[in-house]
Amino acid sequence: MTSTLNRLLDSHDIRASSVPRDMLISGLTESSREVSPGDLFFARAGSSTDGHRFVGEALTRGAAAVVVEEADVHRSLERSVLVGSTSRALGVAAARWHDCPSREMSVVGVTGTDGKTTVTYLLEKIWNAASKASGLIGTTGARWGVQRYPISLTTPPALELQGLLSRMKRDRVDHVALEVSSIGLDQERVAGVAFDAAVFTNLSPEHLDVHGDMETYFRAKAKLFRDFEVPIAVVNVDDPWGRRLVYEGSTSTRWLTYSAKARAATIRVRHLQVEPSRMRATIDTPLGRIVLETSLIGRYNLANCLAALTVAYQESIDLDLVLQAIRDVRVPGRLEPVDLGSTAPTVFVDFAHTPASLAEVIAVLRRQTDESRGRLITVFGCGGDRDPSKRAAAGRIVSAGCDVTIATSDNPRSEDPEKILDDIESGIDARATEFHRAADRRLAIEQAIRLSTPDDIVLVVGKGHETTQQIGSRFLPFDDREVVLESWNALQGVGLVP
Ligand SMILES: CC(=O)N[C@H]1[C@@H](OP(=O)(O)OP(=O)(O)OC[C@H]2O[C@@H](n3ccc(=O)[nH]c3=O)[C@H](O)[C@@H]2O)O[C@H](CO)[C@@H](O)[C@@H]1O[C@H](C)C(=O)N[C@@H](C)C(=O)N[C@H](CCC(=O)O)C(=O)O
Ligand SMILES: Nc1ncnc2c1ncn2[C@@H]1O[C@H](COP(=O)(O)OP(=O)(O)OP(=O)(O)O)[C@@H](O)[C@H]1O
Ligand SMILES: N[C@H](CCC[C@H](N)C(=O)O)C(=O)O
Ligand SMILES: [Mg+2]
């Protein structure tokens, strides 16, 4: 497969070029290490290095040309194109390489700090119920029909993303739910995507190591609504940042809003009834009053359901179908129960890893233990090479809400696990909780199971659906759900020689 430079790059984006515009291109890459002869190499400034340092290597390996955004580098090279933003140019070129697959499908982008994966799962379930051919791309991977692709990031880099969309199009997928992270927006991974609608769930402190402050973080998320000319925006107006998004929003977008607090909104909750394993909500929609019942629990999941319901409403999907679809939803690793039998504690595995989501999930389970007079025992950690300001905050929230707090490792990545634990411990209120610390996550889970009684709830949180633990550069097999089962069995003496 080949293309030409002028087909791949926006002509008004090209500031200078030392190569002919009809030059043939045989592939695209942003990694000098992966250049094949005839490729177009995009030099992108990253967090650990800068692709501009590798333009020489790319040309030596046979790149047809390099795309750069630094005028000095452009002037020093024989075969280069100078553009305003190489990340943006790469996003657009990746889409054009595949004939812009998103234009032929309905793509809904879901952004916000928490709830993106849950909302995309709900949309997938609704579309399937409405006999649409759905596709999903996000934290748990990409999937459509019988296809399953693991991806390393929530929002894949542009080349991977457009490749996935192209395969979906080939397989006749017509509705795609795409998780759009703030870092993905910053790095223009979705620059070539034509969105039909965008959803904003909420905003709370996260990735501040990358964005610096909340205002910059908000602006990164807002790009999805401001830069992409989305025709439809679906926004949670219970969140102050959501209200600001609507207030400052473009008049060419149709703004649909939702509220779980009976606030004025397109879709809003009138009455909520919560049971330990179900929720029922009376909801006002422009089409009349409906009663939503779902296996998802927690007020935050009601907000996630409203987001999906609002998208479905604007797509004119029969609301009865939507209500049926939402009745029994399971999102792997999100308040996922691990069944250990009736003589065991109740155990949940969850993916909360931001201060706000930890507070939400602990509040849900606290209510249950208060009613049953059991204790809430929580095992948690914080990822290495991620916003360190989350650590003390997580320590504070877990210790304030739980009877027993066991701090352990999440994915330490390149960091010293004990240093991460020190940061977490600086936030622990030892008067409010029984506190333990063990860097080995397996030992921490075993301890939680050992300390618990059948009246207690054990929450193992932070890694959810993940099936590996990243220590240094190694990905070791680790699944919280399996480790919980193994710990319980070991405690019961199952599998031990009598
Ligand atoms: C901070 C961040 O987002 N990093 C991602 C980013 O790396 P980077 O921009 O820092 O790139 P870099 O390593 O500095 O290199 C810069 C450029 O030089 C090039 N290069 C580099 C070396 C070389 O020899 N030759 C060469 O050409 C690289 O290919 C790159 O184009 O681009 C890389 C390639 O696309 C990603 O693999 C990498 O993700 C890292 C692994 C990561 O963990 N990212 C996380 C923080 C992330 O993006 N998370 C979000 C948010 C999740 C959520 O909130 O839900 C996500 O969407 O997953
Ligand atoms: N709307 C919400 N508000 C607050 N917390 C939520 C919300 N939805 C889910 N959560 C909590 O956040 C956790 C992660 O949810 P989910 O995976 O849906 O979010 P996400 O935005 O996709 O996260 P990530 O940024 O890691 O991709 C859940 O396990 C739950 O504890
Ligand atoms: N999408 C999030 C996932 C965090 C999951 C948690 N287990 C961790 O490793 O910090 C991130 O990349 O920051
Ligand atoms: Mg996600």
Side-chain angles (χ1 to χ4, degrees):
M1 188 167 147
T2 55
S3 188
T4 56
L5 202 63
N6 53 7
R7 209 185 140 256
L8 294 168
L9 302 180
D10 256 338
S11 54
H12 62 261
D13 204 24
I14 299 179
R15 301 195 171 164
S17 174
S18 53
V19 289
R21 302 234 168 156
D22 59 355
M23 174 180 242
L24 273 186
I25 302 297
S26 53
L28 307 178
T29 183
E30 63 164 302
S31 167
S32 60
R33 290 166 290 208
E34 288 166 20
V35 170
S36 299
D39 281 357
L40 186 61
F41 170 77
F42 290 79
R44 188 171 68 73
S47 52
S48 56
T49 185
D50 186 340
H52 289 85
R53 291 176 53 194
F54 306 100
V55 286
E57 183 189 336
L59 290 169
T60 308
R61 283 178 186 260
V66 297
V67 181
V68 299
E69 60 189 22
E70 285 178 16
D72 291 352
V73 178
H74 167 66
R75 275 193 294 273
S76 71
L77 298 170
E78 269 179 32
R79 299 195 307 279
S80 86
V81 184
L82 180 68
V83 296
S85 156
T86 45
S87 306
R88 229 195 81 73
L90 173 60
V92 171
R96 292 183 177 184
W97 185 263
H98 292 285
D99 295 329
C100 301
S102 59
R103 288 199 191 149
E104 287 163 60
M105 301 184 282
S106 171
V107 181
V108 177
V110 182
T111 200
T113 306
D114 299 312
K116 299 181 292 298
T117 298
T118 307
V119 172
T120 57
Y121 268 69
L122 286 163
L123 286 174
E124 184 195 45
K125 192 110 201 291
I126 291 169
W127 288 332
N128 288 347
S131 305
K132 316 247 184 236
S134 67
L136 182 147
I137 300 177
T139 313
T140 61
R143 65 184 202 199
W144 66 97
V146 293
Q147 306 287 348
R148 301 283 178 273
Y149 288 89
I151 46 183
S152 56
L153 297 167
T154 282
T155 307
L159 287 165
E160 189 181 352
L161 172 60
Q162 294 296 337
L164 287 165
L165 291 172
S166 162
R167 269 172 271 169
M168 286 186 181
K169 188 185 91 177
R170 187 197 57 199
D171 291 346
R172 301 186 188 288
V173 167
D174 50 32
H175 278 64
V176 180
L178 170 61
E179 265 188 67
V180 186
S181 66
S182 54
I183 301 177
L185 282 160
D186 248 7
Q187 294 178 0
E188 307 275 11
R189 295 177 199 159
V190 293
V193 179
F195 289 99
D196 294 271
V199 178
F200 176 89
T201 59
N202 49 57
L203 196 79
S204 67
E206 167 71 322
H207 300 309
L208 295 182
D209 54 332
V210 175
H211 300 296
D213 54 45
M214 286 301 286
E215 181 63 28
T216 315
Y217 179 35
F218 171 70
R219 280 207 300 271
K221 295 272 186 208
K223 270 178 83 157
L224 179 59
F225 301 82
R226 294 173 179 174
D227 294 5
F228 286 81
E229 295 169 355
V230 281
I232 308 284
V234 170
V235 181
N236 175 10
V237 286
D238 291 335
D239 186 289
W241 296 98
R243 293 200 289 280
R244 178 169 156 197
L245 192 66
V246 179
Y247 183 71
E248 294 175 358
S250 150
T251 48
S252 58
T253 296
R254 183 169 167 229
W255 296 86
L256 300 178
T257 54
Y258 62 90
S259 165
K261 295 183 180 161
R263 203 181 277 277
T266 318
I267 302 261
R268 64 180 184 277
V269 172
R270 276 270 162 229
H271 178 71
L272 174 65
Q273 185 189 335
V274 181
E275 290 163 19
S277 58
R278 294 197 80 70
M279 278 192 294
R280 191 173 297 111
T282 309
I283 296 169
D284 280 345
T285 81
L287 299 177
R289 193 161 282 187
I290 56 172
V291 178
L292 177 148
E293 207 187 312
T294 177
S295 52
L296 295 173
I297 52 169
R299 201 175 249 275
Y300 62 88
N301 270 320
L302 178 59
N304 295 335
C305 290
L306 296 178
L309 178 65
T310 312
V311 172
Y313 156 73
Q314 73 82 24
E315 288 180 348
S316 306
I317 296 176
D318 179 353
L319 292 188
D320 283 338
L321 275 181
V322 176
L323 295 179
Q324 260 173 43
I326 285 181
R327 262 182 115 79
D328 286 297
V329 184
R330 298 255 168 252
V331 188
R334 276 82 181 149
L335 272 183
E336 181 175 338
V338 186
D339 186 8
L340 301 177
S342 56
T343 58
T346 306
V347 182
F348 290 101
V349 165
D350 188 75
F351 195 52
H353 55 81
T354 63
S357 59
L358 274 168
E360 291 283 354
V361 74
I362 284 171
V364 171
L365 298 181
R366 182 79 262 171
R367 231 167 282 131
Q368 292 195 14
T369 47
D370 284 350
E371 275 168 26
S372 67
R373 294 165 187 260
R375 292 175 309 162
L376 179 55
I377 301 174
T378 294
V379 178
F380 80 108
C382 292
D385 304 334
R386 293 290 186 271
D387 189 352
S389 69
K390 289 202 291 187
R391 299 173 188 170
R396 255 190 308 280
I397 289 160
V398 180
S399 58
C402 302
D403 303 286
V404 182
T405 300
I406 307 180
T408 186
S409 300
D410 190 289
N411 291 304
R413 302 193 177 85
S414 74
E415 288 195 61
D416 172 7
E418 295 295 346
K419 164 73 178 73
I420 299 175
L421 282 167
D422 288 345
D423 292 346
I424 293 173
E425 199 171 339
S426 71
I428 297 283
D429 179 354
R431 284 163 311 176
T433 194
E434 178 184 322
F435 178 64
H436 303 272
R437 151 178 179 164
D440 184 321
R441 193 169 179 96
R442 178 176 287 274
L443 292 183
I445 292 173
E446 282 172 5
Q447 184 173 22
I449 301 290
R450 215 173 30 248
L451 289 174
S452 60
T453 70
D455 292 332
D456 296 337
I457 292 181
V458 175
L459 168 65
V460 181
V461 68
K463 287 177 54 57
H465 63 282
E466 293 177 353
T467 53
T468 59
Q469 185 176 30
Q470 191 184 355
I471 302 179
S473 55
R474 297 202 304 157
F475 288 83
L476 305 168
F478 199 102
D479 184 324
D480 281 349
R481 297 157 294 194
E482 280 174 11
V483 176
V484 165
L485 267 170
E486 287 161 10
S487 303
W488 174 252
N489 286 341
L491 201 66
Q492 303 308 299
V494 175
L496 296 180
V497 179

